Amino acid sequence: MQVLEQIRDLRIARQAYAPADVGFVPTMGYLHAGHLHLVEQARRDNAHVIVSIFVNPTQFAPHEDLATYPRNMERDLHLLAEAGVDLVFAPPVSAIYPDDYNTYVEVGGVTEMLEGAARPTFFRGVATVVCKLFNIVQPTRAYFGQKDYQQTIVVRQMTRDLNLPVEVVVCPTVRERDGLAMSSRNSYLSVTERRAAPVLYQALIAARRHYQQGARDAELLREVMRNMLATEPLAKPEYVSVADPQTLQELAQVGDQGAVLSLAVRIGPARLIDNMLLEPRPTETEHRLKGDPHDE
Ligand code: PAF
């Protein structure tokens, strides 16, 4: 496995893979099973796999955890070599943002709510670095986890709007046995906080159960999530949302488009997010094919 820090070297190495397909997994390091699942999928779909490790300063607000964001390059490289990655791109900040750097990518609409409302400069930083990494790596396909659902919508919108020749692939959230979505920030949790953290998943499951039993009133589903979060004293909810899965606009009723349930909750020093898709209502024909309309 090659490990490169400079854009010039990366471009030369990438040229050598042409014309074969290249899968790309952008990360901020401190890898977990969720990242490795993206790598596995990238390996299945492509002849070569490139992973970037870059803690992107522009997606952190000044009061956020850039300085303390967990890092372990040695362990990450070991995991990626074992996973069969061809090349790791781990640039210094100065390679991506030289002193005179002055261009940012702003995606409108889908960045305004949820994470965008809570962290106003976050998606500008994400879109900018992902656009730059796509231009540098020139992948055939790029892999993102559904855990960061809004990020996947923003990246898809940017890729479409800027005509970037990259296929964006979204892979399912990987969870711990108790349902907690894997995240590098889970490492901030103490033992007691870690025990409290699956309440996010429980809130999503409770709302999905109501949906499966026929509930379509979005405010009722939000209330179900709030009530479940309220059972855990350590959980401090920031938002719960039942939104259109494409536009991320809050819904009054869950209609044929289905919905995305999402939430952000503080537990101790960690700000955790999670989401779940409510699949669109099956058509009559699908009902008949599946038998019981409430089958999963
Ligand atoms: O999801 C992440 O880890 C980051 O937001 C990403 C996509 C690597 C951009 O820095």
Side-chain angles (χ1 to χ4, degrees):
M1 184 177 78
Q2 275 184 293
V3 182
L4 300 175
E5 294 188 353
Q6 296 307 321
I7 295 170
R8 189 186 341 106
D9 298 335
L10 183 282
R11 285 196 195 282
I12 293 166
R14 199 265 174 257
Q15 279 300 316
Y17 298 150
D21 285 359
V22 171
F24 175 49
V25 182
T27 83
M28 298 208 300
Y30 211 70
L31 304 178
H32 50 68
H35 295 112
L36 298 177
H37 177 78
L38 300 179
V39 168
E40 270 168 40
Q41 187 60 49
R43 278 196 62 187
R44 274 197 288 274
D45 297 346
N46 303 277
H48 300 281
V49 175
I50 300 179
V51 174
S52 64
I53 298 179
F54 180 66
V55 182
N56 173 36
T58 61
Q59 70 190 73
F60 291 79
H63 65 278
E64 290 182 343
D65 55 345
L66 173 62
T68 55
Y69 193 82
R71 292 162 164 90
N72 191 337
M73 185 60 86
E74 202 182 314
R75 181 173 166 278
D76 288 349
L77 294 180
H78 179 74
L79 288 171
L80 294 175
E82 274 196 335
V85 166
D86 299 273
L87 197 166
V88 175
F89 179 49
V93 172
S94 59
I96 301 296
Y97 301 113
D99 284 345
D100 60 348
Y101 189 81
N102 222 348
T103 300
Y104 295 90
V105 178
E106 301 252 14
V107 177
V110 290
T111 54
E112 280 160 21
M113 58 292 278
L114 306 172
E115 288 305 286
R119 308 176 67 191
T121 55
F122 174 65
F123 286 121
R124 178 187 195 246
V126 169
T128 300
V129 82
V130 171
C131 184
K132 284 172 70 69
L133 289 168
F134 281 5
N135 283 330
I136 295 166
V137 174
Q138 304 198 0
T140 318
R141 300 180 187 85
Y143 294 79
F144 296 84
Q146 193 200 307
K147 150 84 172 32
D148 299 299
Y149 185 82
Q150 192 175 9
Q151 172 171 276
T152 67
I153 297 285
V154 171
V155 168
R156 276 193 201 283
Q157 176 89 41
M158 174 198 72
T159 307
R160 247 192 340 262
D161 288 352
L162 298 182
N163 309 100
L164 304 179
V166 179
E167 184 188 332
V168 174
V169 182
V170 178
C171 299
T173 303
V174 178
R175 298 180 180 281
E176 305 281 359
R177 289 170 71 89
D178 59 9
L180 176 64
M182 296 225 178
S183 162
S184 307
R185 287 189 169 101
N186 292 349
S187 64
Y188 295 160
L189 298 167
S190 69
V191 173
T192 322
E193 290 157 357
R194 172 64 188 81
R195 253 185 242 124
V199 74
L200 279 81
Y201 181 63
Q202 289 154 12
L204 295 168
I205 290 286
R208 186 177 67 179
R209 196 175 315 116
H210 274 72
Y211 175 73
Q212 287 167 340
Q213 288 166 356
R216 294 292 179 269
D217 180 342
E219 192 46 33
L220 184 141
L221 299 177
R222 286 181 204 103
E223 199 52 30
V224 168
M225 290 194 278
R226 280 188 213 107
N227 288 343
M228 180 58 79
L229 293 173
T231 64
E232 176 44 69
L234 292 180
K236 309 286 175 228
E238 270 193 12
Y239 63 74
V240 299
S241 158
V242 179
D244 179 285
Q246 300 306 320
T247 65
L248 303 181
Q249 294 293 333
E250 289 302 314
L251 294 173
Q253 289 286 319
V254 182
D256 292 342
Q257 79 278 41
V260 56
L261 308 173
S262 47
L263 34 76
V265 179
R266 282 193 187 274
I267 297 190
R271 182 176 179 282
L272 304 177
I273 60 171
D274 202 350
N275 67 80
M276 195 171 277
L277 279 167
L278 300 182
E279 297 301 336
R281 197 179 5 213
T283 63
E284 283 303 312
T285 329
E286 282 164 344
H287 273 307
R288 262 182 267 119
L289 289 174
K290 282 175 89 178
D292 180 353
H294 296 299
D295 275 354
E296 262 201 277

